Amino acid sequence: MRYILLIVFLIWTGSLMGQEEKDVKKDVKVGLVLSGGGAKGFAHVGVLKVLEDAGIRVDYIAGTSMGAIIGGLYASGYNATELDSVLKAYDLGGLVNDDLPREVSSFYQKENDGKYAVSLPLVKRKIELPSAVSKGQNAFNIFSQLTEHVHEIDDFSQLPIPFFCIATNLVNGEEVILDKGFLPEAIRASGSFPGLLTPVKIDGKVLVDGGIVDNFPVEKMIEKGVDYIIGVNVSGGLKDIENLRTLPEILTQIIGFQMYKQWDDKIKLSDVYINPDLEEFTTFSWDDEAEIVKRGEVAATKVKEQLVSIASLQQPATKRSIKSYPKKDELMIVKIDIKGNRNFTDKYCIKKLGIVEGEIISHKDFMRGIDVLTATNNFESIFYKLSPMEGGTKVEFEITENDERTLIQFGAHYDDLYKTGILVNFTTKHLFFKNDFISADFVVGDNIRYNVDYFYDNGFNWSFGVNTRYNTFKADIAFNILPEVKSQDTISTGLNVPIKYIDFTTRLFLQSTIKDRWAFRVGLEHKFLNVHTNEVVDDNSNRIYFEKSHYLNAFGKVMLDTYDSKYFPKKGFYLDTEYLLYGVSSNYKGNFSTFSQLSGRLGFAYTFFNKLTFNLLSEAGVTLGNNEDEILDYHLGGYNENYINTFKPFYGYGFGELNESAFLRTAVTIRYEIFKKNFLSFTGNFARLNDDLWNDGHIFEDTKSGYGAGYGVNTIIGPIELHYSWNPDNNKDFWYINVGFWF
């Protein structure tokens, strides 16, 4: 009996031990493979939601292109719900654009913003087309922000979920597996669609989209030793000729020729194959994010029983989540390391970035600094890495400078004053120093003009600049002071006189800026004015000069520009004030005495309901001292954005029709965007012109008024505008037509 009891005990104990051993071994590893597919890759998020709901613990992730982006973020610690929030919070469609908010541009760029319709690099005296539509800096910035919590991890097997992605070596076409390095750099490389995003250089290799060589890396996942593979394909396969209409669609088709030859074999290697129905969507259906995510959920739900079955063989997955995007609201910068800059000094880069060792910077201001440095157009890429360090954060920058030192740019414009003009610009960098550039505009057409800028940019420290311009136009303008003429005939006062106005101005200046919002400029100016008309007497033409003098002046300027758009601003402030001292003159008329002028322009724009914009503009100018030269008075009238010197726009009056030594003008514009980039506007402007603007307190007495209504379109060649204006003072009306960027 004892033996029987002993045998039963041993059998029972053995079964318990076996069960315990079975429970310990009860676990399988699951590998998740996510294909590329552009915007269709949003479906991966829907699939991940179902995987989590089914209890699947993902042990390894592989991805290509958009699959690498979604997979890399998931591997870094995000769950599916958080990824869905990321898609809503960030404009992933905007990843393919190099668009930056205008406020981060330098003051030089803002002054010249919207002049050139076409920009092409000159390399070895030959025009080259750009290597891609976008440099992809915005894409990297978003990837970097979203993965800051794992910046210090350079072995992707050490991420919360081990991860690798696929890229293509552009030089030899070989497949490159990225499983180490810097995560945002790796997923940026894997998603570098040829012609759309520029290649990425990693470890001496030039990498582009991995979909060229392997858009569904199932075989590579098998090598990781997983037990089950869940494959998600959103690429859609080859298209018929009716669906090959655009260049991106054709490029995608060409890339797919080799890839889809092995597709059936890849599908067979997947234990669970998920193929969402995305036939109606394209690689660029960025605005359909919600529906594409839903399609992913629907497709994964169809195989949910299989997923639940696999999950039952696994130990429960631990809950993974990160708290915020980005993780750090403030950074204590303890060390800054910059690599890759050859022609731009560390000091220049740091000043543009706005960061200082030993100081705290908000994450928002840190990213603004990246945008400011990007906006200089001096760099092909700006990669940064944040690493924890004793006392704070170490920032490492890997910068690739733009090798395009010379640009040729073109623009075209028509307006009522300058008539037709074709603009050709040459811009070159590093002419004398590392941080300098020279830009030369040449305008051919009805009025020949040029404008040349040289600028040594020392970041936000004092910088040095030279500007020289030649400007000329013909117009009918009213003058009340007669020139001295040798002929017995005279020109009647107060009547419109056909004049030719020639301005040749050169300025040397020092400039300092505060975060590219404020600019302060002081300098010297040489100005030559030649204003004349031709009088015909007895078939003889006599040239009559209103002005023919050289001036040596001093000036100071304060500028603020936070407008979000130069021509159709929806928000922001604008300030441009100048003090100009006319110091010395060659004194053609013989009546010059030193005087000065103080002028300023203040603008404000605010938009309601994202459509209706209120734009207020106030402008004033006063003459200090005794100015006997009417040419140097203020002249109001007409509608142009490229007036020079003392000419100012004013609806309802002809060009330069109102003249006085001082003026005060206010314009209120109501602008409505009827559909994208198409605007209806109404403007009312009011002005007083008098040497005594305050008029003993009667500031509204003798106020001039004018009104304008117009339609404008913001196009790739610039604004196209048609305006009708009138004034109630003398019942005059005018039509203004402007086509293209102003210059």
Side-chain angles (χ1 to χ4, degrees):
M1 185 68 176
R2 287 183 299 172
Y3 291 109
I4 295 174
L5 291 174
L6 178 61
I7 293 171
V8 171
F9 176 77
L10 291 173
I11 293 174
W12 178 71
T13 303
S15 67
L16 287 178
M17 293 177 63
Q19 180 66 39
E20 182 178 350
E21 182 179 354
K22 182 179 179 181
D23 288 342
V24 170
K25 293 182 179 179
K26 178 188 172 184
D27 198 18
V28 295
K29 291 184 178 181
V30 173
L32 177 64
V33 180
L34 306 178
S35 81
K40 293 186 288 186
F42 293 153
H44 292 317
V45 176
V47 172
L48 288 169
K49 287 183 178 182
V50 177
L51 262 60
E52 290 180 355
D53 188 57
I56 290 288
R57 187 197 71 226
V58 178
D59 298 290
Y60 225 118
I61 300 177
T64 299
S65 196
M66 194 60 167
I69 295 169
I70 300 296
L73 294 176
Y74 194 72
S76 76
Y78 290 83
N79 61 40
T81 301
E82 290 166 337
L83 281 179
D84 200 12
S85 298
V86 166
L87 297 186
K88 292 179 173 66
Y90 289 87
D91 177 20
L92 295 188
L95 296 183
V96 298
N97 297 322
D98 286 326
D99 295 341
L100 292 169
R102 184 173 178 270
E103 65 163 320
V104 301
S105 299
S106 69
F107 257 89
Y108 171 80
Q109 290 170 316
K110 288 175 182 176
E111 287 180 307
N112 292 273
D113 182 24
K115 285 171 63 175
Y116 314 115
V118 178
S119 297
L120 298 171
L122 278 176
V123 179
K124 296 180 180 179
R125 299 180 181 179
K126 294 181 180 180
I127 295 178
E128 284 195 353
L129 294 176
S131 60
V133 173
S134 169
K135 295 179 181 178
Q137 184 64 46
N138 285 349
F140 172 81
N141 289 348
I142 292 179
F143 300 155
S144 188
Q145 289 179 67
L146 292 172
T147 60
E148 281 180 13
H149 55 290
V150 294
H151 272 198
E152 71 276 13
I153 297 176
D154 55 14
D155 183 347
F156 299 164
S157 67
Q158 300 303 310
L159 291 169
I161 300 177
F163 168 77
F164 70 88
C165 60
I166 305 298
T168 304
N169 189 323
L170 184 60
V171 175
N172 55 27
E174 292 181 355
E175 180 180 21
V176 177
I177 298 175
L178 299 173
D179 55 6
K180 291 181 175 60
F182 189 39
L183 182 60
E185 188 177 38
I187 60 179
R188 162 69 176 84
S190 181
S192 297
F193 189 87
L196 192 63
L197 296 176
T198 55
V200 175
K201 296 178 182 178
I202 299 179
D203 297 333
K205 299 175 183 178
V206 181
L207 305 181
V208 294
D209 197 297
I212 297 173
V213 289
D214 193 351
N215 200 39
F216 198 41
V218 181
E219 301 94 329
K220 309 301 182 301
M221 180 59 77
I222 292 175
E223 296 173 4
K224 299 299 180 181
V226 298
D227 301 295
Y228 289 89
I229 292 179
I230 300 172
V232 186
N233 170 30
V234 298
S235 60
L238 297 174
K239 296 180 179 294
D240 53 32
I241 193 63
E242 288 78 14
N243 295 310
L244 294 173
R245 297 182 298 273
T246 67
L247 178 60
E249 290 172 341
I250 293 172
L251 287 175
T252 302
Q253 184 88 341
I254 294 172
I255 290 171
F257 288 156
Q258 183 67 31
M259 176 176 63
Y260 290 115
K261 286 182 179 180
Q262 305 169 350
W263 205 256
D264 290 340
D265 294 335
K266 291 176 176 291
I267 293 173
K268 292 176 183 177
L269 293 174
S270 302
D271 296 286
V272 180
Y273 178 68
I274 302 173
N275 182 211
D277 180 11
L278 302 170
E279 186 66 28
E280 64 196 84
F281 303 103
T282 71
T283 305
F284 304 97
S285 297
W286 304 109
D287 295 332
D288 298 311
E289 168 262 324
E291 179 60 27
I292 294 174
V293 170
K294 185 178 179 181
R295 296 290 179 92
E297 290 185 63
V298 170
T301 301
K302 292 179 180 179
V303 296
K304 191 171 182 180
E305 288 187 8
Q306 289 179 263
L307 299 175
V308 171
S309 176
I310 294 173
S312 67
L313 303 177
Q314 293 183 294
Q315 297 292 334
T318 56
K319 186 176 181 181
R320 300 174 301 105
S321 177
I322 60 175
K323 294 182 179 180
S324 62
Y325 328 112
K327 188 175 182 180
K328 301 168 185 173
D329 294 328
E330 290 186 337
L331 302 170
M332 166 57 86
I333 307 297
V334 295
K335 185 173 177 56
I336 302 169
D337 187 12
I338 300 177
K339 296 179 181 178
N341 52 320
R342 306 183 312 275
N343 296 302
F344 297 93
T345 62
D346 285 3
K347 184 177 181 180
Y348 169 87
C349 296
I350 290 172
K351 285 294 183 180
K352 288 291 184 181
L353 290 164
I355 57 178
V356 180
E357 286 187 1
E359 291 189 5
I360 294 175
I361 186 172
S362 71
H363 195 280
K364 180 179 179 181
D365 285 343
F366 178 83
M367 292 311 304
R368 185 184 185 278
I370 300 292
D371 285 346
V372 169
L373 193 60
T374 302
T376 63
N377 294 322
N378 293 325
F379 304 97
E380 186 72 27
S381 63
I382 304 166
F383 290 169
Y384 71 90
K385 182 177 181 181
L386 303 177
S387 303
M389 193 173 182
E390 184 178 353
T393 300
K394 176 184 178 182
V395 188
E396 299 174 83
F397 291 97
E398 184 68 39
I399 291 175
T400 302
E401 291 187 2
N402 194 336
D403 291 330
E404 299 168 354
R405 293 183 54 178
T406 303
L407 291 174
I408 181 170
Q409 305 179 98
F410 303 93
H413 186 77
Y414 173 85
D415 63 59
D416 297 307
L417 177 63
Y418 289 98
K419 306 304 180 184
T420 302
I422 302 296
L423 171 64
V424 180
N425 169 270
F426 293 92
T427 297
T428 188
K429 304 173 185 177
H430 324 310
L431 188 64
F432 302 115
F433 305 100
K434 285 187 175 183
N435 301 344
D436 72 355
F437 70 89
I438 186 168
S439 175
D441 288 341
F442 301 95
V443 181
V444 295
D446 293 298
N447 292 277
I448 304 298
R449 292 171 282 158
Y450 70 76
N451 184 82
V452 180
D453 286 294
Y454 172 81
F455 194 66
Y456 173 77
D457 191 345
N458 199 24
F460 295 131
N461 295 314
W462 285 100
S463 302
F464 171 74
V466 179
N467 169 261
T468 182
R469 77 179 184 209
Y470 173 81
N471 194 297
T472 181
F473 58 82
K474 297 176 182 178
D476 290 345
I477 190 169
F479 287 122
N480 296 317
I481 300 176
L482 295 175
E484 294 183 5
V485 296
K486 295 181 180 180
S487 70
Q488 298 298 314
D489 297 279
T490 60
I491 300 172
S492 300
T493 63
L495 298 179
N496 282 354
V497 179
I499 66 159
K500 183 168 185 178
Y501 187 100
I502 299 172
D503 168 272
F504 178 75
T505 298
T506 300
R507 284 187 162 187
L508 289 77
F509 60 89
L510 296 175
Q511 176 176 296
S512 182
T513 59
I514 300 177
K515 293 186 176 180
D516 279 319
R517 292 189 176 100
W518 290 91
F520 307 90
R521 188 178 293 177
V522 293
L524 298 175
E525 171 189 271
H526 167 263
K527 184 183 292 291
F528 172 68
L529 289 179
N530 182 332
V531 185
H532 61 264
T533 187
N534 291 321
E535 179 190 41
V536 179
V537 179
D538 297 331
D539 295 327
N540 294 317
S541 179
N542 298 319
R543 179 163 291 184
I544 302 172
Y545 289 97
F546 290 85
E547 177 61 286
K548 192 180 179 183
S549 298
H550 294 266
Y551 296 90
L552 182 60
N553 308 323
F555 70 92
K557 286 176 71 73
V558 177
M559 297 170 285
L560 167 70
D561 188 351
T562 64
Y563 274 167
D564 62 337
S565 171
K566 184 173 183 177
Y567 298 117
F568 300 102
K570 287 190 171 183
K571 63 179 181 179
F573 290 90
Y574 179 86
L575 173 69
D576 186 353
T577 62
E578 179 177 87
Y579 176 78
L580 179 61
L581 173 65
Y582 287 84
V584 180
S585 173
S586 61
N587 204 5
Y588 172 76
K589 292 184 177 180
N591 58 357
F592 174 81
S593 60
T594 298
F595 70 96
S596 59
Q597 289 180 325
L598 178 63
S599 61
R601 195 179 199 193
L602 175 64
F604 166 73
Y606 187 79
T607 298
F608 302 89
F609 317 115
N610 202 37
K611 292 286 186 180
L612 184 65
T613 299
F614 172 82
N615 197 179
L616 175 67
L617 181 66
S618 289
E619 195 168 9
V622 295
T623 300
L624 307 174
N626 187 23
N627 170 33
E628 297 292 345
D629 190 346
E630 188 186 11
I631 294 298
L632 300 177
D633 279 347
Y634 296 101
H635 311 283
L636 274 65
Y639 171 69
N640 267 45
E641 294 290 339
N642 54 4
Y643 287 158
I644 62 170
N645 296 335
T646 53
F647 291 93
K648 309 294 179 182
F650 192 72
Y651 275 113
Y653 286 84
F655 173 70
E657 185 174 345
L658 303 174
N659 306 279
E660 192 49 84
S661 61
F663 80 99
L664 176 63
R665 167 185 174 251
T666 296
V668 178
T669 298
I670 304 297
R671 187 167 50 248
Y672 185 77
E673 188 172 13
I674 53 176
F675 41 92
K676 190 174 183 179
K677 297 185 178 181
N678 286 256
F679 303 89
L680 292 175
S681 64
F682 176 82
T683 300
N685 55 186
F686 313 90
R688 285 197 74 254
L689 293 94
N690 198 298
D691 56 357
D692 178 15
L693 287 180
W694 301 112
N695 196 27
D696 294 328
H698 304 289
I699 59 175
F700 297 107
E701 188 174 280
D702 194 26
T703 298
K704 305 293 184 183
S705 61
Y707 302 90
Y711 178 76
V713 184
N714 202 5
T715 72
I716 59 173
I717 64 169
I720 299 176
E721 300 174 282
L722 176 64
H723 291 269
Y724 171 73
S725 75
W726 70 95
N727 77 71
D729 302 326
N730 53 25
N731 295 319
K732 286 185 178 181
D733 59 359
F734 301 87
W735 285 96
Y736 305 124
I737 300 175
N738 306 287
V739 179
F741 292 121
W742 292 95
F743 50 77

